[in-house]
mmCIF file of all heavy atoms in Angstrom:
data_model
loop_
_atom_site.group_PDB
_atom_site.id
_atom_site.type_symbol
_atom_site.label_atom_id
_atom_site.label_comp_id
_atom_site.label_asym_id
_atom_site.label_seq_id
_atom_site.Cartn_x
_atom_site.Cartn_y
_atom_site.Cartn_z
ATOM 1 N N VAL A 1155 -43.760 -18.620 -1.177
ATOM 2 C CA VAL A 1155 -42.416 -18.185 -1.557
ATOM 3 C C VAL A 1155 -41.893 -18.982 -2.747
ATOM 4 O O VAL A 1155 -41.358 -18.414 -3.710
ATOM 5 C CB VAL A 1155 -41.459 -18.331 -0.356
ATOM 6 C CG1 VAL A 1155 -40.024 -18.025 -0.777
ATOM 7 C CG2 VAL A 1155 -41.878 -17.417 0.784
ATOM 8 N N LEU A 1156 -42.035 -20.306 -2.711
ATOM 9 C CA LEU A 1156 -41.489 -21.151 -3.776
ATOM 10 C C LEU A 1156 -42.114 -20.863 -5.136
ATOM 11 O O LEU A 1156 -41.383 -20.738 -6.130
ATOM 12 C CB LEU A 1156 -41.638 -22.631 -3.412
ATOM 13 C CG LEU A 1156 -40.721 -23.149 -2.298
ATOM 14 C CD1 LEU A 1156 -40.919 -24.649 -2.102
ATOM 15 C CD2 LEU A 1156 -39.269 -22.850 -2.596
ATOM 16 N N PRO A 1157 -43.451 -20.755 -5.266
ATOM 17 C CA PRO A 1157 -44.006 -20.417 -6.577
ATOM 18 C C PRO A 1157 -43.508 -19.066 -7.109
ATOM 19 O O PRO A 1157 -43.293 -18.919 -8.319
ATOM 20 C CB PRO A 1157 -45.516 -20.391 -6.332
ATOM 21 C CG PRO A 1157 -45.725 -21.273 -5.157
ATOM 22 C CD PRO A 1157 -44.522 -21.072 -4.297
ATOM 23 N N ILE A 1158 -43.316 -18.099 -6.225
ATOM 24 C CA ILE A 1158 -42.814 -16.796 -6.672
ATOM 25 C C ILE A 1158 -41.376 -16.927 -7.179
ATOM 26 O O ILE A 1158 -41.017 -16.375 -8.230
ATOM 27 C CB ILE A 1158 -42.911 -15.768 -5.524
ATOM 28 C CG1 ILE A 1158 -44.376 -15.475 -5.214
ATOM 29 C CG2 ILE A 1158 -42.178 -14.484 -5.891
ATOM 30 C CD1 ILE A 1158 -44.594 -14.605 -4.000
ATOM 31 N N ILE A 1159 -40.548 -17.673 -6.443
ATOM 32 C CA ILE A 1159 -39.177 -17.910 -6.907
ATOM 33 C C ILE A 1159 -39.187 -18.631 -8.246
ATOM 34 O O ILE A 1159 -38.371 -18.342 -9.137
ATOM 35 C CB ILE A 1159 -38.388 -18.717 -5.858
ATOM 36 C CG1 ILE A 1159 -38.213 -17.895 -4.580
ATOM 37 C CG2 ILE A 1159 -37.032 -19.131 -6.403
ATOM 38 C CD1 ILE A 1159 -37.549 -18.663 -3.459
ATOM 39 N N LEU A 1160 -40.118 -19.567 -8.405
ATOM 40 C CA LEU A 1160 -40.239 -20.273 -9.675
ATOM 41 C C LEU A 1160 -40.527 -19.302 -10.809
ATOM 42 O O LEU A 1160 -39.885 -19.349 -11.871
ATOM 43 C CB LEU A 1160 -41.356 -21.318 -9.591
ATOM 44 C CG LEU A 1160 -41.746 -21.989 -10.909
ATOM 45 C CD1 LEU A 1160 -40.603 -22.832 -11.443
ATOM 46 C CD2 LEU A 1160 -42.998 -22.833 -10.740
ATOM 47 N N GLY A 1161 -41.511 -18.406 -10.602
ATOM 48 C CA GLY A 1161 -41.836 -17.438 -11.647
ATOM 49 C C GLY A 1161 -40.662 -16.560 -11.995
ATOM 50 O O GLY A 1161 -40.374 -16.314 -13.179
ATOM 51 N N VAL A 1162 -39.932 -16.085 -11.000
ATOM 52 C CA VAL A 1162 -38.767 -15.228 -11.241
ATOM 53 C C VAL A 1162 -37.676 -15.990 -11.983
ATOM 54 O O VAL A 1162 -37.039 -15.453 -12.905
ATOM 55 C CB VAL A 1162 -38.235 -14.661 -9.908
ATOM 56 C CG1 VAL A 1162 -36.919 -13.915 -10.120
ATOM 57 C CG2 VAL A 1162 -39.258 -13.733 -9.270
ATOM 58 N N SER A 1163 -37.458 -17.255 -11.605
ATOM 59 C CA SER A 1163 -36.410 -18.043 -12.275
ATOM 60 C C SER A 1163 -36.760 -18.286 -13.740
ATOM 61 O O SER A 1163 -35.866 -18.262 -14.602
ATOM 62 C CB SER A 1163 -36.200 -19.373 -11.546
ATOM 63 O OG SER A 1163 -37.333 -20.225 -11.668
ATOM 64 N N MET A 1164 -38.033 -18.516 -14.044
ATOM 65 C CA MET A 1164 -38.446 -18.681 -15.444
ATOM 66 C C MET A 1164 -38.273 -17.375 -16.206
ATOM 67 O O MET A 1164 -37.847 -17.365 -17.365
ATOM 68 C CB MET A 1164 -39.904 -19.149 -15.513
ATOM 69 C CG MET A 1164 -40.142 -20.551 -15.013
ATOM 70 S SD MET A 1164 -41.848 -21.098 -15.278
ATOM 71 C CE MET A 1164 -41.871 -21.235 -17.054
ATOM 72 N N TRP A 1165 -38.608 -16.270 -15.555
ATOM 73 C CA TRP A 1165 -38.483 -14.954 -16.184
ATOM 74 C C TRP A 1165 -37.021 -14.632 -16.504
ATOM 75 O O TRP A 1165 -36.704 -14.184 -17.610
ATOM 76 C CB TRP A 1165 -39.088 -13.911 -15.246
ATOM 77 C CG TRP A 1165 -38.984 -12.495 -15.729
ATOM 78 C CD1 TRP A 1165 -39.663 -11.916 -16.759
ATOM 79 C CD2 TRP A 1165 -38.145 -11.482 -15.166
ATOM 80 N NE1 TRP A 1165 -39.311 -10.605 -16.882
ATOM 81 C CE2 TRP A 1165 -38.375 -10.304 -15.927
ATOM 82 C CE3 TRP A 1165 -37.245 -11.444 -14.115
ATOM 83 C CZ2 TRP A 1165 -37.717 -9.107 -15.646
ATOM 84 C CZ3 TRP A 1165 -36.590 -10.256 -13.836
ATOM 85 C CH2 TRP A 1165 -36.825 -9.112 -14.592
ATOM 86 N N LEU A 1166 -36.120 -14.903 -15.561
ATOM 87 C CA LEU A 1166 -34.706 -14.654 -15.795
ATOM 88 C C LEU A 1166 -34.155 -15.559 -16.893
ATOM 89 O O LEU A 1166 -33.310 -15.144 -17.693
ATOM 90 C CB LEU A 1166 -33.913 -14.867 -14.507
ATOM 91 C CG LEU A 1166 -34.036 -13.765 -13.450
ATOM 92 C CD1 LEU A 1166 -33.303 -14.163 -12.178
ATOM 93 C CD2 LEU A 1166 -33.498 -12.437 -13.985
ATOM 94 N N GLN A 1167 -34.647 -16.799 -16.935
ATOM 95 C CA GLN A 1167 -34.194 -17.722 -17.976
ATOM 96 C C GLN A 1167 -34.576 -17.205 -19.354
ATOM 97 O O GLN A 1167 -33.809 -17.335 -20.310
ATOM 98 C CB GLN A 1167 -34.799 -19.106 -17.732
ATOM 99 C CG GLN A 1167 -34.222 -20.204 -18.611
ATOM 100 C CD GLN A 1167 -34.810 -21.559 -18.287
ATOM 101 O OE1 GLN A 1167 -35.408 -21.746 -17.230
ATOM 102 N NE2 GLN A 1167 -34.646 -22.502 -19.187
ATOM 103 N N GLN A 1168 -35.750 -16.603 -19.443
ATOM 104 C CA GLN A 1168 -36.170 -16.007 -20.714
ATOM 105 C C GLN A 1168 -35.233 -14.890 -21.147
ATOM 106 O O GLN A 1168 -35.004 -14.684 -22.345
ATOM 107 C CB GLN A 1168 -37.587 -15.454 -20.596
ATOM 108 C CG GLN A 1168 -38.686 -16.465 -20.707
ATOM 109 C CD GLN A 1168 -40.050 -15.789 -20.773
ATOM 110 O OE1 GLN A 1168 -40.176 -14.589 -20.561
ATOM 111 N NE2 GLN A 1168 -41.066 -16.571 -21.087
ATOM 112 N N LYS A 1169 -34.696 -14.159 -20.181
ATOM 113 C CA LYS A 1169 -33.909 -12.974 -20.500
ATOM 114 C C LYS A 1169 -32.531 -13.304 -21.040
ATOM 115 O O LYS A 1169 -31.757 -12.399 -21.368
ATOM 116 C CB LYS A 1169 -33.781 -12.079 -19.265
ATOM 117 C CG LYS A 1169 -35.123 -11.550 -18.767
ATOM 118 C CD LYS A 1169 -35.942 -10.925 -19.895
ATOM 119 C CE LYS A 1169 -37.333 -10.528 -19.441
ATOM 120 N NZ LYS A 1169 -38.151 -9.984 -20.562
ATOM 121 N N LEU A 1170 -32.198 -14.583 -21.139
ATOM 122 C CA LEU A 1170 -30.975 -14.959 -21.843
ATOM 123 C C LEU A 1170 -31.091 -14.660 -23.327
ATOM 124 O O LEU A 1170 -30.081 -14.549 -24.023
ATOM 125 C CB LEU A 1170 -30.694 -16.453 -21.636
ATOM 126 C CG LEU A 1170 -30.141 -16.869 -20.270
ATOM 127 C CD1 LEU A 1170 -30.124 -18.377 -20.166
ATOM 128 C CD2 LEU A 1170 -28.749 -16.302 -20.059
ATOM 129 N N ASN A 1171 -32.316 -14.565 -23.799
ATOM 130 C CA ASN A 1171 -32.573 -14.314 -25.214
ATOM 131 C C ASN A 1171 -33.369 -13.026 -25.363
ATOM 132 O O ASN A 1171 -34.182 -12.688 -24.493
ATOM 133 C CB ASN A 1171 -33.368 -15.471 -25.832
ATOM 134 C CG ASN A 1171 -32.670 -16.803 -25.638
ATOM 135 O OD1 ASN A 1171 -31.566 -16.993 -26.119
ATOM 136 N ND2 ASN A 1171 -33.316 -17.717 -24.927
ATOM 137 N N PRO A 1172 -33.170 -12.311 -26.450
ATOM 138 C CA PRO A 1172 -33.995 -11.119 -26.699
ATOM 139 C C PRO A 1172 -35.439 -11.512 -26.953
ATOM 140 O O PRO A 1172 -35.731 -12.644 -27.346
ATOM 141 C CB PRO A 1172 -33.355 -10.504 -27.944
ATOM 142 C CG PRO A 1172 -32.637 -11.631 -28.608
ATOM 143 C CD PRO A 1172 -32.165 -12.538 -27.506
ATOM 144 N N ALA A 1173 -36.329 -10.602 -26.702
ATOM 145 C CA ALA A 1173 -37.749 -10.857 -26.945
ATOM 146 C C ALA A 1173 -37.999 -11.059 -28.429
ATOM 147 O O ALA A 1173 -37.323 -10.463 -29.274
ATOM 148 C CB ALA A 1173 -38.580 -9.682 -26.430
ATOM 149 N N PRO A 1174 -38.948 -11.930 -28.793
ATOM 150 C CA PRO A 1174 -39.276 -12.114 -30.210
ATOM 151 C C PRO A 1174 -39.697 -10.790 -30.853
ATOM 152 O O PRO A 1174 -40.282 -9.923 -30.197
ATOM 153 C CB PRO A 1174 -40.442 -13.104 -30.189
ATOM 154 C CG PRO A 1174 -40.331 -13.789 -28.866
ATOM 155 C CD PRO A 1174 -39.779 -12.782 -27.923
ATOM 156 N N ALA A 1175 -39.373 -10.652 -32.129
ATOM 157 C CA ALA A 1175 -39.738 -9.420 -32.836
ATOM 158 C C ALA A 1175 -41.241 -9.290 -33.005
ATOM 159 O O ALA A 1175 -41.784 -8.184 -33.003
ATOM 160 C CB ALA A 1175 -39.049 -9.383 -34.197
#
Side-chain angles (χ1 to χ4, degrees):
V1155 174
L1156 288 183
I1158 292 173
I1159 294 175
L1160 171 66
V1162 173
S1163 67
M1164 291 186 69
W1165 178 71
L1166 285 175
Q1167 190 177 343
Q1168 280 188 350
K1169 298 310 174 183
L1170 285 171
N1171 304 298

